[in-house]
């Protein structure tokens, strides 16, 4: 994919199935958000295609697509004073007019806000919330949309430690229930803890794609991020932990 003569992603291929949580990792400018936008259908492709159930995304109309995939962007700018609950309820827009939607949509809105710990400021104006609170409200909107595919871009940005794990635990549970989830993540250990597989991007290309235990290796990540890592076993989980080495220590070891 090229924009203004610059290649943003090139020769990137992945297959995400229901039940999978895929973490997209890589340094700034690697093409992570571009990939998510291409998968969502928000960014037209000049080469290749993205498919849902074997059908090209470009062949779906907006309503059909919104019923199949929900997208959480890095940030949502809403200048109007919608309440947090009104923002979450917007996730039900693709289902308006369906029988029983008024009651079902209200229940699902409340449920999504409970899952994301956002009920306490349901009547607060969305623009007055902190960045972390807005992020969780946006996630609640995505959950309320009730789609089998979720594409979430940096869902832990602006969140405190507890809410980072809350959000990814929700993503993990949704995948376990059959959803296909793709999450752009900067924290490699969050990816290693919660994702089934990971795709590592660098300069718009795929460096590796596969199970986290096979992909998130110090040697590969050192080449991509330009710093050294030490791999350690998680004290409680059968998952890898990646410890970055300070630059001064890396130089001493070289």
């Amino acid at each position: 994919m090229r924009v203004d003569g610059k290649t943003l992603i090139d020769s990137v291929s992945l297959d995400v199935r229901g039940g999978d949580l895929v973490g997209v990792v890589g340094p700034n400018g690697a093409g992570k958000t571009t990939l998510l936008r291409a998968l969502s259908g928000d960014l037209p492709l000049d080469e290749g295609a993205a498919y849902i159930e074997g059908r090209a995304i470009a062949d779906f109309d907006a309503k059909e697509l919104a019923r199949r995939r929900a997208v959480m962007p890095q940030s949502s700018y809403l200048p109007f004073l919608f309440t947090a609950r009104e923002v979450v309820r917007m996730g039900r827009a693709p289902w308006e007019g369906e029988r029983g939607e008024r009651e079902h949509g209200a229940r699902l809105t409340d449920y999504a806000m409970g899952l994301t710990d956002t009920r306490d400021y349901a009547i607060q104006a969305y623009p007055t919330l902190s960045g972390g609170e807005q992020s969780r409200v946006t996630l609640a909107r995505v959950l309320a949309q009730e789609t089998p595919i979720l594409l979430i871009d940096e869902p832990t940005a602006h969140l405190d430690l507890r809410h980072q794990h809350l959000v990814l635990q929700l993503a993990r549970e949704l995948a376990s229930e059959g959803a296909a989830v793709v999450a752009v993540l900067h924290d490699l250990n969050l990816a290693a803890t919660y994702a089934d597989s990971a795709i590592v991007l660098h300069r718009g290309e795929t460096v590796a794609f596969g199970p986290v235990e096979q992909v998130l290796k110090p040697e590969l990540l050192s080449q991509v991020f330009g710093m050294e890592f030490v791999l350690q076993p998680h004290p409680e989980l059968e998952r890898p932990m990646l410890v970055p080495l300070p630059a001064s220590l890396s130089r001493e070891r070289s």
Side-chain angles (χ1 to χ4, degrees), residues 1-243:
M1 171 176 289
R2 297 173 65 84
V3 175
D4 295 332
K6 180 181 179 181
T7 300
L8 301 182
I9 54 174
D10 184 34
S11 303
V12 176
S13 177
L14 73 159
D15 182 16
V16 185
R17 300 177 181 273
D20 289 345
L21 171 51
V22 178
V24 183
V25 301
N28 292 338
K32 301 184 296 298
T33 294
T34 301
L35 173 61
L36 211 68
R37 293 185 64 201
L39 292 175
S40 71
D42 291 338
L43 192 62
L45 297 172
D46 51 7
E47 293 182 9
Y51 297 87
I52 294 178
E53 298 173 352
R55 180 181 171 191
I57 283 182
D59 293 340
F60 289 88
D61 64 34
K63 188 173 184 178
E64 284 182 306
L65 194 55
R67 289 186 173 196
R68 286 167 172 78
R69 63 94 181 98
V71 182
M72 178 182 175
Q74 287 184 20
S75 60
S76 297
Y77 175 65
L78 291 174
F80 302 106
L81 296 179
F82 292 109
T83 67
R85 192 176 192 282
E86 287 171 333
V87 171
V88 177
R89 188 61 187 261
M90 290 176 187
R92 299 304 303 164
W95 307 97
E96 284 183 4
E98 293 293 315
R99 192 177 203 178
E101 169 54 27
R102 182 183 295 272
E103 295 78 14
H104 178 67
R107 286 195 301 270
L108 200 55
T109 295
D110 289 337
Y111 181 64
M113 296 192 78
L115 288 177
T116 54
D117 196 19
T118 53
R119 280 180 177 163
D120 286 348
Y121 34 88
I123 61 172
Q124 273 187 250
Y126 180 86
T128 69
L129 301 175
S130 72
E133 291 166 345
Q134 288 184 358
S135 180
R136 282 165 28 229
V137 168
T138 301
L139 177 61
R141 175 187 59 74
V142 167
L143 298 179
Q145 197 169 330
E146 202 177 23
T147 60
I149 301 170
L150 291 90
L151 306 172
I152 50 182
D153 195 355
E154 297 187 33
T156 58
H158 312 299
L159 298 185
D160 59 47
L161 188 61
R162 182 174 79 86
H163 285 111
Q164 288 178 23
H165 285 271
L166 169 70
V167 165
L168 286 176
Q169 183 60 45
L170 284 174
R172 174 69 269 155
E173 291 172 1
L174 288 167
S176 298
E177 293 168 4
V181 185
V182 180
V184 172
L185 298 169
H186 275 297
D187 189 315
L188 297 175
N189 283 313
L190 287 177
T193 299
Y194 291 99
D196 300 298
S197 56
I199 180 168
V200 182
L201 298 181
H202 187 42
R203 295 174 180 169
E205 297 186 355
T206 302
V207 177
F209 176 47
V212 291
E213 297 84 356
Q214 298 176 18
V215 170
L216 300 183
K217 295 291 186 69
E219 300 81 8
L220 182 147
L221 296 173
S222 295
Q223 296 174 14
V224 170
F225 288 93
M227 61 185 302
E228 288 194 48
F229 294 85
V230 173
L231 186 66
Q232 294 185 341
H234 193 286
E236 299 292 336
L237 306 173
E238 294 183 3
R239 293 279 183 152
M241 287 184 63
L242 293 149
V243 181

